[in-house]
Amino acid sequence: MSVYLVWSNHHHAYWGPNKSGYTTNWLTAGRYSQDDAAECCSRRTWEPRKPPPEVMILAPDAERDTFHIAELCAIPGQLQEAIRKATRTAIRERNTRQAVAADA
């Protein structure tokens, strides 16, 4: 089963465990199922011309239990790239939905 982190673009931090609080440390962030993470991402109103309030990304430890030191050191950068990609994807999907609605 895939496990996700929820990043808050609003708070610039990950959601904590049990949907409580925020942390900038991916190791102490909450782990969520795909459905729970998607629900977290739909809670806050997405304001026009702003990034989505939250995005979900696959947790680095979703499919692995151990890492080498070099791999651990690389994870924060990889997560930031995943957050940027998830944010861009959400914006693109929103723009597509709005264009389709406008054409209807």
Side-chain angles (χ1 to χ4, degrees), residues 23-58:
T23 180
T24 56
N25 185 338
W26 71 272
L27 290 167
T28 58
R31 300 315 196 254
Y32 299 97
S33 69
Q34 185 173 8
D35 290 342
D36 282 345
E39 189 271 325
C40 292
C41 292
S42 67
R43 286 185 172 192
R44 197 181 312 273
T45 302
W46 187 352
E47 298 177 32
R49 295 178 301 283
K50 298 230 177 181
E54 281 85 21
V55 293
M56 56 191 257
I57 57 172
L58 191 62

Side-chain angles (χ1 to χ4, degrees), residues 1-7 14 26 30-34 37 55-64 75 78-79 82-83 86:
M1 179 172 110
S2 295
V3 179
Y4 293 85
L5 304 175
V6 177
W7 174 260
Y14 300 100
W26 71 272
R31 300 315 196 254
Y32 299 97
S33 69
Q34 185 173 8
V55 293
M56 56 191 257
I57 57 172
L58 191 62
D61 53 345
E63 298 170 349
R64 292 183 60 181
I75 287 175
Q78 293 167 351
L79 288 173
I83 290 164

